[in-house]
Amino acid sequence: MKRLSIFSCLLLIAFAANAQETNKLIVDANQGKVVINKNIYGHFAEHLGRCIYDGIWVGKDSKIPNTDGYRTDIVNALKDMKIPVLRWPGGCFADTYHWQDGIGPLNKRAKMMNYHWGGVVENNTFGTHEFLNLCEMLGCEPYISANVGSGSVVEMTQWIEYMNSDKDVPMANLRRQNGREKPWNVKYLGVGNESWGCGGNMTPDYYVNLLRNYSEMAGIYGQWKLKQIGCGANSDDYNWTDVVMKERPGSISGLSLHYYTIAGSGWGNKSAATGFEKKYYFSGLEKALKMNELVEKHSAIMDKYDPKKQVGLMVDEWGIWTDVEPGTEKGFLFQQNSIRDALIASLTLDIFNNHADRVKMANIAQTINVLQSVILTQGNKMVLTPTYYVFKMYAVHQDAKLLPSQLIAEDYEFDGRKIPALSSSVSEDQNGNIHVSVTNLNPDKEIVLSVELVGKSFEQVKSASVLTAPEYNSYNGFDAPEVVKPVDFKNFKKINSSSLQITVPSKALVVLEMK
Ligand code: AHR
């Protein structure tokens, strides 16, 4: 007969005896084995709307303070948020992008049409050097998305040689000619983006054969040091994952997954980013929670073919997709960002943390001025969105050991539907600090949560902060940029050396550090 651990016994007791104490977080504090890959806190920047131009890049001659063309305020804010990895140049754009157009003297760079995003003319001012130098400034890993949809194996392998070779070979010499002696040693390479859609409209069988070819050649040119990420499924297309994982070329170390939250009834009716009714607050959170099911079901398929979990699930596009702000240019996807979106971010990051054995990277879409951005700009003004603060508060989980936990939570009910009112994750950093993050999704009610550490004690809560807002749809506008901002949090009580009680305000997330 299987023996129960102290943790399981405590769980049973909690379920049986504490019927009236509905909200309880039990942490198996001695059982941390898996490290939360910091790349779960990654971002994505596409040549789309004002993400790159007018967002990250303003050019050296701009009146907006910049460092070699990059907006100084943005560089500082991204560093402060501890951005670990940045995906570029797309998205759909990547499968129309030819990297050689974006190198060399600016006045000689070829122009191209940005067919997917507004049909604007891309002048390729921001290319490989500008992107990789940005990553160096930010201290983050670059993640390059190669063109499989309209490119070729030759184009991809030449790009790898250009970025990573230190030998006397043609592409490395071209790089030197363009002013960069040392290779950048790019580690992450995406082999196709949405190959089932804008990246070529392929079937999984067709894609997996292409992947074999691209991946083998990327492996050879990358001297096997590159971590290749194969194109994975659109949302719940489990067949795609099954086909790719079954045939999995030996050299891929990740498979992507894309899932966007649409609070409205569908792509044609997404709902507004601000001023929305409460039903869209609820449906946004409800639909974001589907990420848990997606991660678990795709992981189960991956487990079948890769029980040792050598291939990471890389959720390299996620976030809420709403209507654009009034006046946005066609195809620019500029949306505001409310406290609801911050809660979507925190509950999603909890899901990734809690599945850190399989989820090795995630990239919220997109960094600046596009979809669920962490930063918005207008002229020389910059706004840090509520989502920005989630990433900043959650940075404590980066590369920390996940502590397995069990959350027992009451429901948040709305209009006859219900979701768990709480979300959480717990980790221990290299200095022995335990970080607990808890989100209360209920917009109308604070919730008292008991936290029980099993197998460890703590002396004190060293620090704590909270992010909440006056209304369920509050946001930071250019004229009122500090409506939603983290502040110190005091509403907790140490019960004994292993337990704590936290009163989490409505529509809020709290991060506590215990030692
Ligand atoms: O993030 C916007 C777009 O959404 C990306 O370009 C594409 O990959 C996805 O469909």
Side-chain angles (χ1 to χ4, degrees):
M1 203 175 114
K2 209 174 154 213
R3 292 180 61 188
L4 289 178
S5 66
I6 302 178
F7 179 67
S8 318
C9 292
L10 263 166
L11 264 184
L12 286 175
I13 294 166
F15 275 115
N18 292 336
Q20 76 281 29
E21 196 188 13
T22 338
N23 303 299
K24 200 164 175 88
L25 176 65
I26 305 174
V27 184
D28 209 352
N30 265 337
Q31 292 303 313
K33 291 189 181 76
V34 175
V35 168
I36 298 172
N37 194 314
K38 66 176 178 188
N39 290 336
I40 282 177
Y41 292 83
H43 293 259
F44 167 38
E46 179 168 11
H47 287 242
L48 192 179
R50 297 191 302 110
C51 182
I52 302 288
Y53 303 112
D54 208 24
I56 292 169
W57 179 264
V58 286
K60 291 181 189 144
D61 300 332
S62 172
K63 288 207 182 81
I64 297 174
N66 67 84
T67 315
D68 296 332
Y70 309 97
R71 271 187 81 133
T72 309
D73 51 0
I74 284 186
V75 169
N76 290 340
L78 292 177
K79 271 194 199 163
D80 237 33
M81 190 189 70
K82 297 204 165 61
I83 181 171
V85 61
L86 185 60
R87 178 174 183 249
W88 174 86
C92 296
F93 178 81
D95 281 283
T96 62
Y97 181 64
H98 301 287
W99 70 272
Q100 296 226 21
D101 294 345
I103 55 168
L106 280 182
N107 58 3
K108 298 231 170 75
R109 293 193 188 176
K111 293 192 168 87
M112 66 175 280
M113 271 282 281
N114 192 333
Y115 288 102
H116 286 288
W117 307 118
V120 294
V121 174
E122 162 68 55
N123 65 13
N124 280 308
T125 301
F126 192 93
T128 301
H129 288 247
E130 289 74 20
F131 172 65
L132 295 176
N133 292 344
L134 168 70
C135 291
E136 280 188 345
M137 276 172 90
L138 296 174
C140 76
E141 292 289 349
Y143 169 11
I144 293 282
S145 199
N147 180 349
V148 172
S150 70
S152 66
V153 171
V154 176
E155 190 179 12
M156 179 194 69
T157 50
Q158 287 183 331
W159 202 5
I160 296 171
E161 188 176 286
Y162 189 89
M163 296 184 291
N164 282 4
S165 175
D166 60 356
K167 302 284 186 303
D168 178 14
V169 288
M171 289 300 118
N173 289 335
L174 181 59
R175 182 192 70 230
R176 292 183 186 106
Q177 203 180 305
N178 288 331
R180 170 80 186 197
E181 174 56 40
K182 279 191 316 177
W184 287 281
N185 293 321
V186 170
K187 218 194 271 170
Y188 299 103
L189 181 84
V191 187
N193 168 75
E194 299 197 347
S195 303
W196 36 262
C198 66
N201 199 15
M202 303 173 198
T203 63
D205 299 287
Y206 182 82
Y207 171 72
V208 87
N209 281 325
L210 269 189
L211 178 62
R212 278 181 187 286
N213 184 193
Y214 274 75
S215 169
E216 177 66 17
M217 300 317 292
I220 291 167
Y221 280 78
Q223 305 284 301
W224 302 105
K225 280 186 204 140
L226 269 178
K227 289 186 183 292
Q228 298 175 33
I229 297 161
C231 168
N234 177 20
S235 181
D236 56 3
D237 182 355
Y238 299 114
N239 179 50
W240 184 282
T241 302
D242 198 83
V243 171
V244 179
M245 284 305 290
K246 191 163 158 193
E247 296 293 322
R248 157 172 77 109
S251 44
I252 63 159
S253 44
L255 188 66
S256 69
L257 168 66
H258 288 186
Y259 175 63
Y260 285 101
T261 298
I262 309 288
S265 56
W267 288 98
N269 179 21
K270 295 193 279 295
S271 103
T274 61
F276 50 85
E277 296 165 58
K278 205 182 253 175
K279 67 177 180 183
Y280 293 120
Y281 171 90
F282 181 86
S283 59
L285 298 172
E286 182 183 44
K287 290 184 180 173
L289 283 164
K290 184 177 162 77
M291 184 64 88
N292 197 57
E293 178 188 320
L294 293 175
V295 166
E296 292 193 344
K297 290 193 173 162
H298 285 290
S299 298
I301 297 167
M302 294 174 84
D303 287 350
K304 217 166 47 169
Y305 302 109
D306 172 36
K308 291 194 182 140
K309 301 186 194 290
Q310 286 162 331
V311 179
L313 182 60
M314 320 302 229
V315 190
D316 60 17
E317 286 187 32
W318 67 274
I320 184 162
W321 193 320
T322 70
D323 294 338
V324 293
E325 288 302 290
T328 299
E329 291 91 325
K330 188 172 151 265
F332 273 28
L333 310 186
F334 176 69
Q335 68 187 47
Q336 249 296 352
N337 191 293
S338 67
I339 183 70
R340 173 199 59 188
D341 307 342
L343 305 181
I344 286 176
S346 61
L347 74 85
T348 305
L349 291 169
D350 284 335
I351 292 169
F352 296 155
N353 285 347
N354 288 327
H355 294 88
D357 59 335
R358 182 59 83 177
V359 181
K360 300 293 176 194
M361 190 195 288
N363 309 73
I364 189 169
Q366 300 192 4
T367 322
I368 325 278
N369 293 331
V370 172
L371 301 179
Q372 190 172 350
S373 307
V374 286
I375 302 175
L376 302 175
T377 65
Q378 186 183 75
N380 61 2
K381 291 186 185 169
M382 177 187 89
V383 156
L384 301 176
T385 66
T387 300
Y388 173 89
Y389 292 115
V390 178
F391 275 83
K392 194 163 174 197
M393 290 164 76
Y394 269 56
V396 291
H397 291 305
Q398 290 190 18
D399 281 343
K401 208 165 39 170
L402 174 72
L403 298 184
S405 58
Q406 190 75 37
L407 178 65
I408 302 159
E410 65 182 60
D411 286 329
Y412 161 40
E413 289 195 40
F414 180 84
D415 212 10
R417 303 203 318 258
K418 42 184 166 181
I419 54 176
L422 296 174
S423 158
S424 66
S425 58
V426 188
S427 68
E428 181 176 10
D429 70 14
Q430 278 153 1
N431 302 319
N433 297 309
I434 294 181
H435 293 106
V436 178
S437 44
V438 185
T439 300
N440 176 4
L441 302 177
N442 193 319
D444 303 314
K445 181 181 166 221
E446 66 178 28
I447 293 183
V448 179
L449 173 73
S450 308
V451 180
E452 185 82 36
L453 293 187
V454 179
K456 251 194 192 135
S457 53
F458 71 102
E459 255 169 42
Q460 52 160 330
V461 172
K462 287 169 64 185
S463 63
S465 54
V466 61
L467 184 73
T468 187
E471 305 295 334
Y472 68 85
N473 52 13
S474 299
Y475 64 97
N476 292 334
F478 290 101
D479 297 326
E482 301 204 340
V483 175
V484 188
K485 211 183 149 173
V487 291
D488 282 352
F489 178 68
K490 302 260 181 283
N491 214 350
F492 54 82
K493 191 163 72 189
K494 186 175 175 190
I495 307 294
N496 57 43
S497 63
S498 64
S499 58
L500 177 77
Q501 201 176 68
I502 313 173
T503 304
V504 193
S506 63
K507 51 178 161 21
L509 62 116
V510 167
V511 177
L512 294 102
E513 179 171 280
M514 297 147 78
K515 179 121 192 206

